[in-house]
Amino acid sequence: MEIFGVPSALLGSQLLVGLINGSFYAILSLGLAIIFGLLNIINFTHGAQYMMGAFVAWIALNKLGINYWVALLFAPIVIGALGVLIERTMLRKLYKLDHLYGLLLTFGLALIFEGIFRDQYGISGQSYPVPELLQGGVNLGFMFLPIYRGWVVVAALTVCFATWFIIEKTKLGAYLRAGTENPQIVQALGINVPLLITFTYGFGVALAAFAGVLAAPIYQVSPLMGSNLIIVVFAVVVIGGMGSIMGSILTGIGLGLIEGLTRVFYPEASAVVVFVIMVIVLLVRPAGLFGRA
Amino acid sequence: MNNSNSMFARAMPILFGALFLIGLVAPFAVYPTFLMKILCFGLFACAFNLLLGFAGLLSFGHAAFLGSAGYVCGMLVRDLGVTPELGILGGTLAAGALGWVFGVLAIRRTGIYFAMITLALSQMVYFIVLQWKATGGEDGLQGVPRGHLFGVIDLSNNIAMYYLVFAIFCIGFFIIYRAINSPFGQILKAIRENEPRAVSLGYDVAKFKLLAFVLSASLAGMAGATKTLVFQLASLTDVHWHMSGEVVLMTLLGGLGTVLGPLVGAATIVSLQTELADTVGSWVTVIMGVIFVVCVLLFRRGIVGELQALIQRAGIR
């Protein structure tokens, strides 16, 4: 069976890869959007925090015998707690300054974390086994689907939509949105805004770490796994416009799929297609697809 | 404040004169290649500072200009047999053209978005350089000959090469200094301080920002092209986004928005990297990160900025 002269199995598997990458883009740009919304800081450490999430899972498995399922909860908590520490001791001092200092501080932190892991583990990656329950695959007729990859898409999207639900439909989310709009008034209403900010940063960081654990069995667990991904995610953020939570989820998945399609029809361009789209979007809609001007 | 500012203004020519003399005799006291590296990165950082320090635009993609100019210069000199001065000119113009493209796209957004857009665009350049056959991919462009300046002066002599680099640095530095201390520079500062007001005063803000961006990109390219000749290679590290971060660090450490800060920052970082490379290995990155964090948290004025503040306080008393 062929579609546009391309074997359907090839098209299907590249679309699946695109969907998986898109899930990672979605979950990472969602984390960035949440942090940006309340802290007005672009969290440059996001890639390093994603990488550390994967490493915590790897270390937990190999040194402590903690399995994948526990790591899925354990790693985000550890890295999220580290995030809380960073917010309390460093980021907090920068809120009154130009937003650029937040970006520069988190960039410096990314260098520190990456350097430490590079010194400890080198740049060649470590492999993380697929958990027993999710090994093997199913034949869908037109393509072969490894179960773990299907799980990654489901898990990532579930977390994304749960986050969307919390922010858009619950009381905590309402405080968050109000805090984004006008922190002074929310503070005056008796809500502890600094605590809310700390919690938000910790949660955004935990999302990155969660993505890292999901990624561990698919990609090599390596100190550099986050630093190249994060630039693409920044492009995703620019394209989406970081205007809405749903916007970052949809943009992330959509761009992953487009990247997958490009890999089928014109592989040389697959590494730059997201940036090309960014250029086009900037020319047509400088505020991004979901952004407010 | 005004009093001590004019004090700085009077002291500046003396300081520049002294530095110029030091620059002239330096290659006889210090290893010339090391000095050339400092001057190349110094010019790069000064060009970057023109944009961030004076126009308030944080470009996180300046490696693209340094790197692509280096590749263009290398290809011109090695593959087309062009003379070095034309190679540098070609690299500079190429970086300027690239800067225009980046600028047109990036100045549509401000602040953090501006930084992210320049970063993403520079990563696009990185991938193109990585995949294009002519640039040598992972290996970079090797064996670039230094050639003969104007077809006469043999640049394989390190001292001759040093004076060329020194001259280029001085030209670049002079252009930046003139730009800062001109009506153009004043308008840039006005835009940095209060953009809506600059607009309401009738300035075409987008045009000035773009001009500053192209100028900064060209000078960064001039530094990159010169660097390729000095080291006789153009490599992927020059186009990688870590380099864009490094130039931010140099400028921040030396003193954002000060005239000499970027040069001091570049000299400090290059010396540190040279010293540390053999002893601590991959901890260099960690140390750079720590310097970054300390600069942002504790002394945002940088080395030169803190010194100026110190002198000013002493002057007031």
Side-chain angles (χ1 to χ4, degrees):
Chain A
M1 201 167 69
E2 292 192 355
I3 302 167
F4 303 124
V6 177
S8 65
L10 174 66
L11 191 66
S13 64
Q14 287 301 345
L15 279 180
L16 176 67
V17 172
L19 190 60
I20 291 171
N21 288 341
S23 309
F24 287 118
Y25 297 161
I27 204 166
L28 292 174
S29 68
L30 175 63
L32 281 175
I34 293 172
I35 293 171
F36 180 75
L38 205 57
L39 284 75
N40 256 317
I41 278 174
I42 279 292
N43 186 32
F44 218 114
T45 329
H46 220 67
Q49 280 151 342
Y50 159 84
M51 174 272 287
M52 288 194 288
F55 261 107
V56 168
W58 184 83
I59 294 165
L61 182 74
N62 290 293
K63 302 272 160 21
L64 309 170
I66 293 175
N67 73 20
Y68 174 83
W69 302 101
V70 182
L72 219 42
L73 200 65
F74 174 69
I77 290 174
V78 172
I79 303 301
L82 182 65
V84 166
L85 193 71
I86 290 170
E87 198 279 334
R88 288 260 147 153
T89 53
M90 300 179 204
L91 282 175
R92 178 155 289 189
K93 299 189 178 12
L94 301 176
Y95 294 141
K96 287 192 189 110
L97 302 167
D98 194 321
H99 305 324
L100 298 175
Y101 285 108
L103 184 140
L104 296 180
L105 178 87
T106 50
F107 174 75
L109 289 173
L111 287 184
I112 295 175
F113 293 140
E114 268 174 31
I116 291 173
F117 278 88
R118 228 165 121 171
D119 181 68
Q120 291 292 309
Y121 300 99
I123 49 167
S124 59
Q126 319 279 345
S127 62
Y128 187 101
V130 173
E132 234 168 83
L133 197 64
L134 300 171
Q135 281 168 3
V138 283
N139 197 340
L140 297 177
F142 64 98
M143 64 170 286
F144 181 80
L145 173 72
I147 293 174
Y148 185 78
R149 303 196 171 220
W151 152 255
V152 165
V153 175
V154 173
L157 294 188
T158 309
V159 168
C160 282
F161 285 107
T163 308
W164 169 82
F165 184 82
I166 292 171
I167 293 173
E168 296 292 334
K169 304 287 175 198
T170 65
K171 192 141 196 183
L172 178 67
Y175 291 153
L176 251 164
R177 279 177 289 138
T180 316
E181 289 294 324
N182 196 331
Q184 279 86 17
I185 289 186
V186 177
Q187 179 97 43
L189 290 172
I191 292 158
N192 190 341
V193 173
L195 186 71
L196 201 62
I197 289 177
T198 307
F199 168 78
T200 304
Y201 187 74
F203 182 74
V205 168
L207 275 181
F210 180 78
V213 185
L214 282 183
I218 299 184
Y219 308 113
Q220 296 273 304
V221 179
S222 122
L224 301 177
M225 67 191 283
S227 70
N228 289 324
L229 182 63
I230 194 68
I231 316 274
V232 183
V233 174
F234 280 174
V236 171
V237 164
V238 172
I239 295 166
M242 231 169 0
S244 71
I245 300 298
M246 192 54 95
S248 50
I249 301 174
L250 295 178
T251 316
I253 295 168
L255 287 168
L257 287 174
I258 291 173
E259 210 179 49
L261 280 176
T262 314
R263 213 170 287 123
V264 177
F265 293 105
Y266 191 54
E268 292 82 4
S270 64
V272 292
V273 67
V274 172
F275 304 116
V276 174
I277 294 174
M278 182 188 82
V279 169
I280 296 169
V281 168
L282 277 172
L283 287 173
V284 183
R285 273 185 70 102
L289 296 178
F290 296 87
R292 288 165 294 185
Chain B
M1 251 330 243
N2 266 334
N3 217 352
S4 50
N5 268 346
S6 66
M7 187 181 80
F8 277 129
R10 256 178 286 136
M12 271 305 189
I14 303 167
L15 187 61
F16 285 156
L19 283 173
F20 183 76
L21 289 179
I22 292 172
L24 281 182
V25 297
F28 300 101
V30 188
Y31 188 47
T33 313
F34 175 67
L35 288 174
M36 288 190 270
K37 193 173 180 185
I38 289 179
L39 287 176
C40 287
F41 279 109
L43 179 58
F44 183 33
C46 286
F48 173 81
N49 183 43
L50 173 67
L51 206 54
L52 177 58
F54 295 93
L57 296 169
L58 172 58
S59 157
F60 229 109
H62 254 51
F65 309 127
L66 180 85
S68 60
Y71 275 99
V72 168
C73 172
M75 283 193 271
L76 284 175
V77 172
R78 191 190 68 174
D79 302 337
L80 299 176
V82 162
T83 51
E85 71 279 3
L86 288 179
I88 293 175
L89 188 66
T92 309
L93 292 177
L98 190 65
W100 185 79
V101 175
F102 274 38
V104 165
L105 290 164
I107 54 171
R108 290 163 158 252
R109 302 302 306 273
T110 51
I112 301 170
Y113 274 96
F114 180 87
M116 285 199 290
I117 291 164
T118 49
L119 177 59
L121 288 172
S122 83
Q123 190 68 357
M124 191 163 129
V125 172
Y126 173 81
F127 278 122
I128 291 169
V129 172
L130 178 67
Q131 286 177 354
W132 193 21
K133 293 254 173 347
T135 51
E138 301 263 347
D139 301 327
L141 219 59
Q142 294 173 355
V144 178
R146 282 184 182 174
H148 290 67
L149 185 66
F150 306 119
V152 184
I153 304 163
D154 184 7
L155 292 177
S156 57
N157 177 343
N158 252 351
I159 297 289
M161 187 72 213
Y162 172 82
Y163 283 112
L164 174 65
V165 176
F166 186 60
I168 288 172
F169 175 84
C170 289
I171 293 168
F173 188 82
F174 180 73
I175 293 174
I176 293 168
Y177 187 76
R178 287 302 306 156
I180 294 167
N181 294 293
S182 68
F184 172 67
Q186 296 301 320
I187 296 167
L188 287 187
K189 274 182 218 162
I191 294 172
R192 181 190 66 189
E193 296 303 329
N194 192 338
E195 190 170 330
R197 179 171 291 173
V199 172
S200 72
L201 285 172
Y203 291 117
D204 187 347
V205 168
K207 196 182 81 187
F208 283 106
K209 278 184 177 176
L210 186 59
L211 201 59
F213 201 93
V214 172
L215 185 58
S216 172
S218 308
L219 291 169
M222 193 156 94
T226 312
K227 183 170 167 289
T228 292
L229 283 185
V230 172
F231 293 99
Q232 302 185 283
L233 85 154
S235 73
L236 276 178
T237 39
D238 292 346
V239 228
H240 195 264
W241 64 271
H242 271 170
M243 183 59 82
S244 301
E246 226 161 80
V247 73
V248 183
L249 178 57
M250 288 172 183
T251 312
L252 194 65
L253 176 65
L256 204 60
T258 61
V259 177
L260 282 171
L263 179 61
V264 174
T268 315
I269 296 291
V270 170
S271 317
L272 268 178
Q273 281 174 341
T274 314
E275 284 295 312
L276 295 173
D278 308 329
T279 48
V280 297
S282 56
W283 280 93
V284 175
T285 326
V286 181
I287 293 165
M288 294 298 132
V290 171
I291 297 174
F292 226 116
V293 169
V294 170
C295 276
V296 172
L297 284 177
L298 298 178
F299 61 118
R300 282 179 283 275
R301 283 187 288 214
I303 298 171
V304 172
E306 294 287 344
L307 278 177
Q308 278 182 358
L310 212 68
I311 294 169
Q312 234 159 34
R313 244 176 293 153
I316 285 164
R317 242 181 256 145

